[in-house]
Amino acid sequence: MVTSGITLHPLAARLARCWVGRVLAAVLAGLALPACAQLPPAMSAALQRAQVPQSAVSALVVPVDPPLAERLRHRADASVNPASVMKLVTTYAALDLLGADFTWDTQFLTDGTVDQGALRGNLYVRGGGDPKLVLERLTAAFMALQDKGVRVILGDMVLDQSAFDLPEHDPGAFDGESLRPYNASPEALLVNFKSVVLTFQPDRAAGVAHVLSEPPLAGLAIDATVPLGRGGCGDWRETLQARFDSAEAIRFVGSYPASCGEKVWPVAYQDPASYAVRSMEGLWRASGGMLTGQVRAGLTPPGARLLHSAESLPLSAIIDDVNQWSNNVMAQQVFLTLGRLSPARVDAMTEPRGRLQPMRTGRFERSREVVSRWWASTFGIRSAPPTMDNGAGLSRTERITPEALAELLKRAARHPQGAQFVQSLSVAGVSGTAARMARGNDSAARGNAWLKTGTLRDVTGIAGYVNARNGARYVVIGFVNHPNAPAARPALDALVEWAAGLPD
């Protein structure tokens, strides 16, 4: 092809017939080819409908493996707020530094003796940062203790949170939604995400809905029933008029629509500082254990003897929850665990060689330092490091460029444990937070795109891998930072569909 007297390389000629019309592609044979500089038509149209200018959008589509050329580059060097897409940095750093088989331990220790079913002394429960210490696993740990003869504690149960050193946290500070589970704060002994799960079961004969709750929280009274109401289901939570103004009670002054059937409402406990104490006592007693003292916060004394260690799920399973379901507090638990590593060890290794042992107290500033060191040793100075806050993306200050994120995703795909990282992502039209996408009958992306999504009030983003019709796998990244960002989600869906449909 000849353009303005210049003979173009054949692939450059194809670029000159790009999807947006003729793009200047005066590239001589043998030189690297530029990606299309303009956005796909469907993406541009969706942005126009959302009233979002292209100057608020960043997008990048690059092949995972060379020598294929980039397909799209639009403001790829812009530093953007990635929202929950930042979890990709946290989870890949953890996979690289800790290994997929890494586990956390919750330890049960004593300074006393076990005799004829009784522990004569205190039971110390030392949290290790387990991101998924849910009810079933704690109950199993308590049953294991009772099998070892600890049925009655003739002392206190002391909860040791010293593995993490964290600032005071207001769960409503970020967006005013203090009862939303996504705002739960991390803890070394994080029990059941600090949540209460309320289940409403209508009983038409009795004219009430029965209220079930878990876990059992010591000292918390919850109304056992709520009157049934008429009308459509609609905003049934508002109709309940639940009151969470006391740490000792959850009350309902409204009604529950009978037409709703059974519903489940997970809420963050209104007094998160006391959640661990209340839940550990409630679970211990519900499992058949007895306690003569109290459950309280404290430190494990030197020389305490280990009775039982509850091992967490492996990191590979943890990052599945973090990335597929965008669990904020689990991501922060992983991020804080990275801060417990020795910076010197991080400088010396970028691939797991045996299990790294946490050696110090976890703090957010230490996590930022470790990730910064890891980034420099892994990607070098040419790739701009991200600005981290809590590692979950639930932040107004975290920043990353699409170029830097693309480097991470390309390296992760080639990592010895890269398959586990890719499989931790949600699948378009199939699973996780991307299940809502690729719903059209002719979608090329359904089942062919592994993605991490992100949403804040003024941010929407997506990043991951797309298998295209041409047989190539691409890293696909798109971000919108704009007050109308939520309305621009269809534009990012269109970007993924476009990448999946690339024919050559």
Side-chain angles (χ1 to χ4, degrees), residues 18-273:
C18 205
W19 62 93
V20 292
R22 298 181 64 84
V23 176
L24 181 60
V27 180
L28 300 177
L31 296 182
L33 298 175
C36 274
Q38 299 185 43
L39 301 176
M43 185 179 183
S44 296
L47 289 170
Q48 189 172 17
R49 288 192 298 271
Q51 299 182 6
V52 172
Q54 293 191 10
S55 59
V57 179
S58 298
L60 186 61
V61 178
V62 297
V64 171
D65 298 312
L68 296 176
E70 291 183 356
R71 305 305 296 263
L72 174 65
R73 173 177 287 269
H74 177 78
R75 298 184 69 250
D77 59 350
S79 181
V80 300
N81 186 330
S84 284
V85 175
M86 188 63 92
K87 293 179 174 72
L88 294 175
V89 177
T90 298
T91 54
Y92 178 58
L95 189 71
D96 192 37
L97 290 169
L98 301 173
D101 296 331
F102 176 83
T103 56
W104 292 257
D105 291 324
T106 301
Q107 297 181 331
F108 298 81
L109 310 98
T110 187
D111 54 4
T113 59
V114 178
D115 180 36
Q116 297 182 346
L119 172 60
R120 301 181 184 279
N122 294 330
L123 177 70
Y124 298 90
V125 186
R126 186 160 60 194
D130 186 344
K132 199 174 182 180
L133 191 58
V134 292
L135 307 184
E136 297 82 1
R137 296 187 53 252
L138 267 173
T139 299
F142 284 154
M143 297 305 296
L145 280 172
Q146 292 176 33
D147 288 343
K148 294 177 180 179
V150 183
R151 298 182 181 87
V152 180
I153 301 173
L154 301 176
D156 293 342
M157 182 186 294
V158 182
L159 309 184
D160 187 341
Q161 301 268 15
S162 61
F164 292 163
D165 180 13
L166 301 172
E168 291 283 335
H169 176 76
D170 175 3
F174 184 73
D175 57 7
E177 298 286 354
S178 61
L179 295 178
R180 296 293 183 95
Y182 65 74
N183 273 325
S185 60
E187 285 184 351
L189 184 65
L190 177 69
V191 180
N192 207 50
F193 311 128
K194 302 184 188 177
S195 292
V196 179
V197 179
L198 304 172
T199 302
F200 300 87
Q201 299 177 334
D203 182 345
R204 292 179 181 272
V208 299
H210 298 282
V211 184
L212 309 177
S213 67
E214 64 174 14
L217 295 182
L220 176 66
I222 301 176
D223 287 346
T225 62
V226 60
L228 285 181
R230 298 180 179 181
C233 195
D235 191 355
W236 59 274
R237 292 181 179 87
E238 184 67 25
T239 304
L240 278 169
Q241 297 181 49
R243 294 183 57 179
F244 300 97
D245 49 343
S246 168
E248 282 72 42
I250 298 176
R251 305 296 186 194
F252 307 100
V253 296
S255 62
Y256 180 79
S259 60
C260 285
E262 182 173 310
K263 291 284 188 181
V264 176
W265 185 10
V267 297
Y269 178 54
Q270 57 264 39
D271 183 29

Side-chain angles (χ1 to χ4, degrees), residues 400-423:
I400 195 168
T401 67
E403 283 182 327
L405 186 56
E407 288 301 311
L408 181 145
L409 288 170
K410 287 190 289 185
R411 179 176 286 268
R414 299 190 294 267
H415 192 276
Q417 299 173 87
Q420 289 163 301
F421 179 77
V422 175
Q423 293 304 315

